[in-house]
Amino acid sequence: MLSQSDNELLTKVGPGTPMGELLRRFWIPGLLEEEVPTPDCPPVRLRLLGEDLVAYRDTDGRVGILDNYCPHRRASLFFGRNEEGGLRCVYHGWKFDADGSCVDMPSEPAESNFRDKVRVTAYPAVARGGIVWLYMGPPDLQPEPPAFEWSLLPEGQRVAIKRLEECNWAQAVEGGIDSSHISFLHRNLADLNPDAPKTLHQKYAAGDRSPSFTIKPTDYGFMVGARRNAEEGHQYWRVTQFLTPFYTMIPPVLVRDTDSRNMGYGGHAWVPIDDDNTWTWNLSASPHRPYEESRRGGGLEEALDAKYRPLRNIDNDYELDREMQRSVNYTGIVGINTQDRAVQESMGRVVDRTAEHLGTTDAAVIAFRRRLMRMALALQEGIEPAEASHGDWYRVRSASAVLPTGVPFDVGAAALLTPSSR
């Protein structure tokens, strides 16, 4: 468990908070490119790290990320006119470019130089991998974006999907690095039938519901090796990465005894909207071949409304079906994503970690908290996070493998964990 002060250190992300200042040192997945698809398209609202922003694509195709509030009388720039290389406030016509400079101030006399003295907060943005990334930290410390393999693949070989999660970002991350819950939360009851057909993953996850965990610190964060018993003389390893500050890499599901180096894999980014809400990004990569059309979504689809809120949500109990819970799956809820959200949001907007009781399978959760809180406190002492300035550290993969008993996961799966040169 954590003290109340440590829980607040971990979860609060607004401007000026220790964790908020740490997260601002990193490039952040902000929105899908499809949300600002064409030059001079309508601007869209964006809220990240407790700040209200507006995003638009200008006449030249450049994405601008501005403070939502016009610096004149604080009217919302969401209602602005996106025209001729800038976003114009409809209240008095002040116009701002993607750098935040005021390029037109028609409500002032023509001879006035007042526009040269006014700026709106603007954050650098770059489009990569179907995502618009932004950097909200000190301009003189702006690093290169992280070189995730999935973000650099051709369009047909990667997928990015986002959805709203109505809880704090840290409890969402902790769900993503918890490998033990797959034997319960995501279990189909047919897996308990020894005669039912199963993938190797289903077989091992159902057969050993108390995995042993090994945590290996890395430059970018840490690797979590979850070990389950397999056939005699072998063990089933699932290797999950946590990459600071809020990324996880999901091991591929081992379907049969094939070379998993040719398998696709997935990942998550858990981006704080504010202290109470999170953008959960589902990310999928097929490094060796394009997705088939039927799998173009990478198996990550979920029914969403126009604002990316899932249709199965806390207001309708995630469409929980008690009969399904008795006869089909462990939860009575359809979909892995929905099952995860149901338990994470059920903890409340910000979980009270002073009342929890962690066990041996929570080693990754403990490692995450320690690392992030240590980094946030170090930044308060002037020590910048090295991870933020080394985007090349993020070019890694997750892996699943059946290894001989006694072979360490980071040795036996080494060939699977590093992307081959392209």
Side-chain angles (χ1 to χ4, degrees):
M1 66 177 67
L2 293 183
S3 67
Q4 184 61 37
S5 60
D6 280 347
N7 199 35
E8 292 182 0
L9 169 63
L10 181 66
T11 58
K12 291 187 177 298
V13 297
T17 63
M19 191 61 66
E21 292 306 302
L22 175 66
L23 299 184
R24 284 166 172 78
R25 269 26 184 206
F26 293 81
W27 282 89
I28 297 172
L31 66 160
L32 292 161
E33 282 195 72
E34 67 184 31
E35 296 180 69
V36 283
T38 58
D40 294 331
C41 63
V44 297
R45 292 186 178 97
L46 177 65
R47 182 170 168 82
L48 291 173
L49 303 182
E51 297 187 36
D52 291 320
L53 308 170
V54 63
Y56 73 103
R57 192 182 292 269
D58 70 13
T59 306
D60 296 328
R62 184 183 179 194
V63 177
I65 308 290
L66 307 181
D67 182 358
N68 178 63
Y69 303 102
C70 177
H72 179 208
R73 298 271 294 281
R74 305 298 285 168
S76 172
L77 290 174
F78 168 75
F79 298 101
R81 298 173 59 89
N82 186 4
E83 58 183 23
E84 299 173 349
L87 191 60
R88 187 184 296 276
C89 180
V90 296
Y91 202 4
H92 295 91
W94 292 20
K95 182 178 176 181
F96 302 91
D97 67 12
D99 293 322
S101 298
C102 185
V103 295
D104 192 22
M105 194 177 282
S107 62
E108 292 293 308
E111 64 274 13
S112 171
N113 67 349
F114 187 37
R115 78 176 193 184
D116 298 329
K117 302 176 182 180
V118 176
R119 294 182 56 85
V120 66
T121 298
Y123 293 122
V126 62
R128 177 186 286 185
I131 296 172
V132 176
W133 305 68
L134 65 153
Y135 173 73
M136 302 172 68
D140 59 326
L141 297 177
Q142 180 179 327
E144 291 296 315
F148 286 105
E149 182 185 30
W150 51 262
S151 71
L152 304 174
L153 289 171
E155 182 176 359
Q157 293 178 241
R158 41 88 177 161
V159 178
I161 300 171
K162 76 170 189 178
R163 68 182 187 275
L164 176 66
E165 185 155 353
E166 296 172 79
C167 67
N168 182 263
W169 72 285
Q171 65 207 61
V173 172
E174 291 172 0
I177 56 178
D178 170 17
S179 192
S180 66
H181 78 262
I182 65 171
S183 295
F184 303 93
L185 184 68
H186 304 316
R187 184 202 302 169
N188 291 319
L189 298 184
D191 294 346
L192 302 179
N193 181 354
D195 299 323
K198 299 180 182 67
T199 65
L200 289 182
H201 170 77
Q202 291 169 327
K203 174 183 175 182
Y204 300 142
D208 187 348
R209 293 179 288 170
S210 181
S212 298
F213 286 87
T214 302
I215 308 296
K216 180 178 176 60
T218 64
D219 289 336
Y220 55 76
F222 54 82
M223 291 192 295
V224 184
R227 187 190 73 226
R228 289 177 168 85
N229 294 321
E231 288 77 18
E232 184 176 355
H234 290 80
Q235 295 167 328
Y236 175 47
W237 285 95
R238 284 173 54 83
V239 183
T240 302
Q241 284 101 340
F242 167 72
L243 305 100
T244 54
F246 42 52
Y247 301 97
T248 57
M249 303 290 282
I250 307 168
V253 172
L254 203 59
V255 177
R256 53 188 180 277
D257 191 12
T258 57
D259 184 355
S260 61
R261 281 175 293 190
N262 293 322
M263 298 171 66
Y265 63 92
H268 284 299
W270 319 87
V271 179
I273 298 172
D274 47 36
D275 295 345
D276 295 333
N277 298 280
T278 301
W279 284 125
T280 296
W281 290 83
N282 284 42
L283 309 159
S284 180
S286 179
H288 303 282
R289 62 184 67 85
Y291 282 111
E292 298 174 6
E293 189 64 35
S294 61
R295 292 182 55 80
R296 189 55 56 84
L300 305 177
E301 302 90 339
E302 186 175 11
L304 307 172
D305 67 15
K307 295 184 177 180
Y308 298 94
R309 189 190 190 208
L311 299 187
R312 294 193 297 268
N313 54 59
I314 196 168
D315 293 340
N316 56 29
D317 294 324
Y318 313 94
E319 298 183 355
L320 168 64
D321 184 327
R322 293 296 186 183
E323 179 55 38
M324 179 186 295
Q325 189 176 36
R326 281 189 288 269
S327 59
V328 178
N329 70 13
Y330 202 71
T331 61
I333 296 171
V334 174
I336 289 175
N337 289 334
T338 313
Q339 292 161 3
D340 284 329
R341 277 191 300 104
V343 295
Q344 291 163 14
E345 293 177 356
S346 75
M347 302 172 185
R349 294 284 182 154
V350 181
V351 64
D352 179 6
R353 291 177 175 82
T354 68
E356 67 187 6
H357 297 79
L358 302 186
T360 57
T361 58
D362 297 307
V365 171
I366 295 169
F368 157 70
R369 296 176 185 178
R370 287 176 175 170
R371 181 137 185 170
L372 265 291
M373 291 191 296
R374 184 172 65 247
M375 291 171 65
L377 293 175
L379 181 59
Q380 297 295 296
E381 299 296 323
I383 303 173
E384 295 290 333
E387 298 91 330
S389 58
H390 287 84
D392 56 312
W393 289 354
Y394 290 73
R395 190 173 169 81
V396 298
R397 292 177 182 168
S398 53
S400 295
V402 177
L403 302 174
T405 299
V407 175
F409 76 91
D410 55 325
V411 175
L416 313 180
L417 291 167
T418 304
S420 59
S421 60
R422 296 179 59 84

